Amino acid sequence: MKRIGMLTSGGDCQALNAAMRGVVKSIYNSGQEVEIYGFLNGYRGLIYGDFKMLTSRDFSGILTIGGTILGSSRTPFKTIKDPDENGLDKVEAMKQNYYKLKLDCLVILGGNGTHKTANLLRQEGLNVITLPKTIDNDLYGTDMTFGFQSAVDLATSVIDCIHTTAASHGRVFVIEVMGHKVGYLTLNAGMAGGADIILIPEIPFDIDKIAKKVEQRLKDGNRFTIIAVAEGAISKEDAKLSKKEYQKKLNNKKYPSVSYEVADLIQQKTGQEVRVTVPGHMQRGGSPCPYDRVFASRLGAEAGKLILEDEYGFMVGYRNREIVKVPLEDVAGKLKMLDPDAAIIKEAKMLGISFGD
Ligand code: F6P
């Protein structure tokens, strides 16, 4: 008999359910008896012993459903060792619940923050297997995270829609794409949607270069310009600021986000009519795309295999087109950023896309 605890933590994304279904199906189909404890709302469920017993039936019919049947929450790693408002030691509480339920392991689905806590639990002696989720694709140790391709599809369809209205009105459109501090989502959706300018955090931009590109397009007879801006995009001047100075600027809240700043400055510099579209959390919602359904199912099945073989302390990741197990200590606390010299950036530039650099 295996006793498995499972939780989904951090911002949700598509295919979390598909991944959990993959884990459970692969274990059930092996003939191994199993008890599944689903902790609710991320690490909170593990801290406060809030769980529900699940059977294989609970994982039926969820392959195509977005969100997570377990619920999720953000439990910041930087305060995980601080006692809660009632003085509870959160790390100790998680360990106690694990031991009380006599769990063989925890299956934890999450992104960067989640992996730091997962690694801490491993260091504390718990058996942990993780699965890489996030629309940002910024998790170190894996070429791909599930949720990413679904979000690319959604952000692309936003850009597609904007394209037609931008063309009708001859406007400049700034579309803000999620992705936290990295540009994978913006780059891919921008290229797929035929954006003329793509701004990503890894390549700080010069607003004058962007304005020049907009004006050049006009001269060339193009009445509109599509700009895909990563929520974490940053100007060359701001990139020179210290973290503290930059935070101070953001706190001034002159603009709700970088897209509005870019839009305002382009309008001032070119006299063009500029509009901003922020699809926001819809990029994390809805049904997973077919790629993510397959990908998350595969990762889940491989996680199930590791559990059957009693191999713990790994994230099940994807590297060079193969599913691999990556030691948690190699993943936790590292961010995977886009390489500004990557072939895809050079190819995008060959297509005439400006990065504002
Ligand atoms: O990490 C996923 C993500 O959607 C990021 O792209 C975004 O910056 C962040 O989460 C938004 O977080 P929240 O859901 O807490 O607003």
Side-chain angles (χ1 to χ4, degrees):
M1 165 72 75
K2 289 263 183 224
R3 298 161 75 93
I4 298 173
M6 204 176 264
L7 65 90
T8 53
S9 172
D12 74 340
C13 71
Q14 304 87 346
L16 279 161
N17 290 327
M20 290 191 276
R21 171 183 173 272
V23 177
V24 171
K25 267 191 178 279
S26 70
I27 296 176
Y28 267 99
N29 286 328
S30 75
Q32 169 73 54
E33 274 190 70
V34 62
E35 275 181 356
I36 300 157
Y37 297 76
F39 292 101
L40 304 179
N41 307 320
Y43 285 114
R44 250 186 243 163
L46 183 57
I47 295 169
Y48 299 107
D50 192 10
F51 66 88
K52 58 181 175 189
M53 299 291 302
L54 302 166
T55 69
S56 66
R57 273 172 196 270
D58 295 296
F59 295 88
S60 258
I62 62 169
L63 173 65
T64 62
I65 298 176
T68 157
I69 58 166
L70 294 181
S72 193
S73 67
R74 293 198 187 276
T75 312
F77 177 73
K78 64 175 181 224
T79 54
I80 198 74
K81 289 183 184 164
D82 300 348
D84 78 355
E85 55 282 10
N86 298 314
L88 181 79
D89 180 330
K90 297 189 286 261
V91 177
E92 202 46 42
M94 288 194 275
K95 286 165 65 180
Q96 287 314 315
N97 282 321
Y98 178 97
Y99 291 124
K100 210 159 51 191
L101 296 171
K102 298 191 173 58
L103 297 180
D104 290 297
C105 71
L106 285 171
V107 177
I108 298 175
L109 294 82
N112 275 309
T114 302
H115 273 78
K116 290 187 207 164
T117 301
N119 189 44
L120 174 68
L121 294 176
R122 177 195 67 80
Q123 287 165 334
E124 292 287 326
L126 307 192
N127 292 330
V128 177
I129 289 289
T130 68
L131 289 167
K133 69 93 233 204
T134 164
I135 64 164
D136 305 337
N137 194 30
D138 59 352
L139 200 55
Y140 198 84
T142 183
D143 296 342
M144 183 72 75
T145 55
F146 58 84
F148 173 67
Q149 293 293 347
S150 304
V152 170
D153 285 4
L154 283 164
T156 302
S157 62
V158 172
I159 299 176
D160 289 347
C161 291
I162 292 298
H163 234 119
T164 57
T165 176
S168 308
H169 287 265
R171 285 170 171 161
V172 176
F173 260 94
V174 174
I175 300 136
E176 182 171 295
V177 181
M178 272 189 170
H180 200 42
K181 292 179 181 162
V182 306
Y184 290 99
L185 187 50
T186 310
L187 175 65
N188 283 272
M191 283 183 79
D196 308 295
I197 300 170
I198 297 178
L199 305 181
I200 56 174
E202 293 88 343
I203 306 180
F205 62 83
D206 176 342
I207 196 71
D208 290 321
K209 296 252 171 76
I210 299 170
K212 218 166 146 194
K213 171 85 178 173
V214 170
E215 279 166 343
Q216 188 58 49
R217 279 182 55 78
L218 257 187
K219 278 190 205 139
D220 295 343
N222 299 302
R223 293 178 62 239
F224 69 94
T225 297
I226 301 287
I227 312 180
V229 178
E231 61 179 349
I234 188 164
S235 68
K236 286 196 176 177
E237 302 87 74
D238 286 351
K240 284 186 201 137
L241 299 177
S242 68
K243 242 183 174 179
K244 216 170 160 189
E245 288 167 332
Y246 185 53
Q247 199 49 52
K248 201 171 155 201
K249 177 185 163 173
L250 295 182
N251 291 345
N252 282 341
K253 291 218 180 290
K254 181 168 180 209
Y255 299 105
S257 66
V258 64
S259 303
Y260 289 89
E261 181 174 5
V262 168
D264 188 25
L265 295 175
I266 295 173
Q267 194 149 336
Q268 284 176 33
K269 285 177 189 285
T270 66
Q272 290 289 295
E273 199 177 3
V274 188
R275 292 283 190 275
V276 179
T277 295
V278 183
H281 288 76
M282 70 170 280
Q283 293 163 94
R284 272 183 10 203
S287 192
C289 67
Y291 180 96
D292 272 338
R293 294 179 199 181
V294 175
F295 182 49
S297 299
R298 289 185 63 195
L299 294 175
E302 294 288 345
K305 189 170 160 226
L306 289 182
I307 293 166
L308 290 169
E309 290 166 356
D310 286 318
E311 279 208 71
Y312 302 114
F314 296 102
M315 173 183 79
V316 183
Y318 189 66
R319 274 188 187 156
N320 303 320
R321 294 176 182 269
E322 273 181 35
I323 302 218
V324 290
K325 51 179 194 185
V326 189
L328 277 178
E329 62 266 37
D330 293 350
V331 177
K334 295 180 199 156
L335 192 64
K336 184 183 72 186
M337 299 195 79
L338 254 170
D339 175 3
D341 294 321
I344 187 169
I345 304 276
K346 291 188 181 130
E347 288 143 7
K349 287 184 175 173
M350 284 155 66
L351 297 170
I353 297 170
S354 164
F355 285 84
D357 57 339

